[in-house]
Amino acid sequence: MTDLHVVDATSDHVDEIVAVIHHAFSARRVLDPPSTALSENATTVAAAIAEHGGLLVRSNGVPAGAVLFEVIGDVLNLRRVSVDPRHQGHGVASAMVGCAEEVAVQRGLSRVQLIARVELPDTVEFWRRRGYSVVEQQDHNLIYAKAMPVELTVPTADDMQAIGAELAGQLRAGDVLVLSGDLGAGKTTFTQGLGAGLKVRGAITSPTFVISRVHPSLASGPALVHVDAYRLGGFAELDDLDLDASLEEAVTVVEWGHGLAEALAPDRLDVVVTRGDDDTDETRALRITPVGPRWAASGVRVSVLEKS
């Protein structure tokens, strides 16, 4: 059994990280132009760790993987993503990237980004399977990115609406939001904030008995299509609503949509609202998970609670 441990890189790990980088990149076929990874040394790696950090993976106590970080704005860039060839195929890369994403979330960063070479199909496939999308191509370099989830503790219903209103400013026609969570947790409250931010007509209420409502824009923006999938028996019934006719022109919100509405669009926001154990407590947990290339290029930002 492989025993993997991922640790935050410190100055004590510099020599191990340099060795992993050199082993990994020297085993790759020579590319044109060649990688500059083999020029990394104790001085450059120590400087990178001191400024932005990184990770070291040990497999059964032996250095097996490493990555250096670079933070630019609200993006965590992964540099020198390396797995020693002797440890490939044992989950080292997946463990390392998963931990890097956790670092991004903990630091409040909206996206993780990296460069992969188009000539390395196995590497390209790895990032695709991890949910990364190509957001740019520069000659032989593919710029891959993935938007990070936003996790918030929301004290009041007013705060929930304020978050929805702020998020509305980042939406555009064609966007799909799939809402799920506890009964009465605040999904409709969140949608009310979206409606206010989008400046649409009509009160946003639970559409349980109507299933679908269209709220036209009052400001030349996209309409809001509000769907409640609670009583729908499957995707076929959701498809019967003919949402395709409005998907490209509207922002579509599907409450109780988990397991049904994901097929509506390759790009979406999965929104989960959960309540605490105490029914008298207004506090809610909110998780917004961006999916697809549309969000990989921009990420999601919520700052309203920081200002309160």
Side-chain angles (χ1 to χ4, degrees):
M1 178 179 293
T2 302
D3 182 18
L4 295 179
H5 285 277
V6 184
V7 298
D8 291 321
T10 70
S11 58
D12 293 336
H13 304 130
V14 168
D15 290 340
E16 292 174 289
I17 291 174
V18 171
V20 170
I21 292 173
H22 284 202
H23 285 147
F25 281 87
S26 63
R28 295 182 182 179
R29 64 186 181 87
V30 178
L31 303 175
D32 182 21
S35 169
T36 60
L38 294 179
S39 66
E40 296 285 5
N41 54 50
T43 300
T44 61
V45 169
I49 292 172
E51 186 169 6
H52 298 290
L55 298 173
L56 172 68
V57 185
R58 291 194 176 100
S59 175
N60 298 324
V62 178
V67 61
L68 301 177
F69 296 153
E70 181 181 32
V71 178
I72 300 178
D74 64 349
V75 178
L76 180 67
N77 288 283
L78 306 185
R79 300 178 53 249
R80 309 310 192 199
V81 181
S82 308
V83 176
D84 189 307
R86 294 168 292 186
H87 299 277
Q88 288 179 348
H90 297 287
V92 174
S94 291
M96 183 165 58
V97 174
C99 289
E101 292 171 3
E102 291 178 7
V103 169
V105 172
Q106 291 166 1
R107 295 189 186 186
L109 304 175
S110 70
R111 296 189 297 136
V112 174
Q113 186 169 285
L114 62 118
I115 296 174
R117 291 292 290 263
V118 69
E119 306 98 320
L120 301 174
D122 289 345
T123 300
V124 167
E125 176 63 13
F126 170 80
W127 292 111
R128 187 194 67 78
R129 285 188 283 106
R130 288 286 318 184
Y132 285 73
S133 302
V134 176
V135 295
E136 186 182 352
Q137 182 167 356
Q138 301 171 349
D139 296 326
H140 296 277
N141 291 330
L142 299 174
I143 313 301
Y144 275 88
K146 181 178 180 180
M148 293 295 100
V150 175
E151 299 177 342
L152 299 166
T153 299
V154 186
T156 68
D158 287 344
D159 290 323
M160 186 69 77
Q161 290 190 355
I163 291 170
E166 181 181 2
L167 182 61
Q170 301 168 54
L171 299 177
R172 65 193 187 201
D175 284 336
V176 174
L177 293 85
V178 180
L179 274 58
S180 59
D182 304 328
L183 185 66
K187 296 183 291 297
T188 300
T189 302
F190 175 84
T191 308
Q192 289 169 343
L194 285 177
L198 291 170
K199 296 180 173 61
V200 299
R201 188 174 66 214
I204 307 293
T205 59
S206 176
T208 298
F209 298 104
V210 181
I211 300 182
S212 177
R213 284 195 180 102
V214 179
H215 298 271
S217 173
L218 296 172
S220 301
L224 175 65
V225 177
H226 187 199
V227 180
D228 192 321
Y230 185 74
R231 287 176 168 78
L232 298 182
F235 181 76
E237 292 186 22
L238 181 64
D239 193 46
D240 286 342
L241 297 178
D242 198 23
L243 295 176
D244 289 345
S246 60
L247 274 177
E248 293 185 3
E249 290 81 29
V251 170
T252 302
V253 176
V254 185
E255 293 193 31
W256 302 101
H258 179 69
L260 292 175
E262 291 86 351
L264 288 175
D267 302 294
R268 66 181 187 276
L269 295 179
D270 289 335
V271 181
V272 180
V273 188
T274 52
R275 61 196 309 167
D277 295 331
D278 184 354
D279 290 339
T280 64
D281 186 1
E282 266 195 280
T283 301
R284 300 291 188 260
L286 176 67
R287 180 181 175 91
I288 305 172
T289 304
V291 179
R294 180 261 194 271
W295 295 105
S298 64
V300 170
R301 300 168 186 82
V302 176
S303 60
V304 64
L305 292 183
E306 299 172 4
K307 300 173 183 176
S308 61

